Amino acid sequence: MLLSLSCTEDKTNITFKEVNITTDDNILVEIYVPKAIGNDNVSEKINTKIDEVLITSLSIGDSETATSSSVKESVSRFNKEYKNFKADFPESPMVWEAQIDGEVTYQSDAIISLALTNYQNTGGAHGNVTVTFLNFDAKTGSLISNNDLFSDFTAFENLAKDHFFKEISGKKEDYFEPDKFTLPANIGLNDEGLILLYNTYEIAPYSSGITEIHIPFSEVNALLNYK
């Protein structure tokens, strides 16, 4: 779905390698995500944020997983929660699973954009996929908010609105409120331009899946603070 630039190197001296995070007791969770290397201060900030998202993604209900001190601890707790579930419901055929994959979708001297895709099934009618975009200042490693991505947020919002209504034209019945525009929580970059990504249930039911809207650099470049 998204373009990967694994092990990409640029003048910021930040490269990425794919790592697998697991534990000895793990039978349910698969994690393959990029790890930043080079320029320790920048890499540490990027890797810490990735870990935070992974820990939150593995949180189950009101369990203590969300307060885990490490991703490995979260993996162990996910497995433990499933064992507790099986102890309470031994006849249930349901097997939990979690798969988290990450990729660098765009990297320049100014910005690094990552996408983390999380598939999880913990006993519902079906599993659920969510994608999280993380945009980092390539020079500092700090997370860039959606607002700070743009020099003129209002102009960007108007541009995004035009693309949104063009995208859903002819299939409005697939969306909750097709005449209402709201920016998604997840905005990222790839080699072609900007991605607006609406996760399942954000603006449409499960059957409609994830909605992606692409805006080419030729249209949005003038509004970007980071290129």
Side-chain angles (χ1 to χ4, degrees):
M1 178 176 66
L2 302 169
L3 295 178
S4 175
L5 296 177
S6 300
C7 298
T8 303
E9 182 174 2
D10 68 0
K11 295 178 182 178
T12 63
N13 297 318
I14 298 296
T15 60
F16 289 88
K17 71 172 184 178
E18 184 180 75
V19 295
N20 170 224
I21 305 174
T22 189
T23 61
D24 292 339
D25 63 345
N26 176 37
I27 60 171
L28 303 173
V29 182
E30 290 186 5
I31 299 177
Y32 290 91
V33 292
K35 179 180 180 180
I37 302 170
N39 192 321
D40 291 346
N41 290 333
V42 174
S43 293
E44 183 178 1
K45 287 183 180 180
I46 293 173
N47 293 329
T48 296
K49 187 59 186 180
I50 292 173
D51 286 353
E52 288 176 3
V53 173
L54 297 178
I55 289 169
T56 300
S57 297
L58 291 173
S59 174
I60 302 299
D62 295 327
S63 75
E64 296 179 353
T65 308
T67 59
S68 297
S69 60
S70 70
V71 178
K72 287 191 173 184
E73 184 179 344
S74 292
V75 171
S76 292
R77 289 189 175 184
F78 188 95
N79 281 266
K80 182 180 178 180
E81 288 292 329
Y82 175 66
K83 290 179 180 178
N84 292 339
F85 166 78
K86 289 297 289 182
D88 292 337
F89 305 97
E91 296 181 359
S92 173
M94 177 57 64
V95 177
W96 290 10
E97 61 179 321
Q99 300 172 4
I100 305 176
D101 297 300
E103 58 182 328
V104 179
T105 60
Y106 184 81
Q107 183 172 2
S108 71
D109 288 349
I111 187 171
I112 299 168
S113 190
L114 284 78
L116 299 176
T117 302
N118 174 31
Y119 169 78
Q120 201 168 123
N121 191 341
T122 56
H126 48 70
N128 193 38
V129 176
T130 58
V131 178
T132 301
F133 267 112
L134 300 173
N135 299 301
F136 297 97
D137 186 317
K139 296 180 174 62
T140 66
S142 298
L143 192 68
I144 304 170
S145 70
N146 287 345
N147 281 44
D148 289 338
L149 278 172
F150 307 100
S151 57
D152 187 335
F153 194 78
T154 300
F156 161 69
E157 194 169 26
N158 289 331
L159 175 64
K161 184 187 298 183
D162 289 342
H163 278 267
F164 175 81
F165 287 123
K166 185 183 299 183
E167 173 69 23
I168 71 169
S169 177
K171 50 183 178 180
K172 287 187 174 183
E173 66 278 3
D174 295 338
Y175 295 87
F176 294 139
E177 299 180 274
D179 296 319
K180 178 182 177 181
F181 171 73
T182 303
L183 282 170
N186 289 284
I187 299 174
L189 297 172
N190 68 5
D191 278 351
E192 282 73 47
L194 196 78
I195 301 171
L196 306 177
L197 191 144
Y198 297 87
N199 279 303
T200 307
Y201 298 120
E202 195 171 345
I203 59 171
Y206 179 84
S207 58
S208 296
I210 290 173
T211 298
E212 280 189 65
I213 298 172
H214 297 259
I215 304 176
F217 277 123
S218 58
E219 295 185 43
V220 75
N221 204 43
L223 301 175
L224 288 171
N225 282 326
Y226 301 83
K227 305 171 186 179

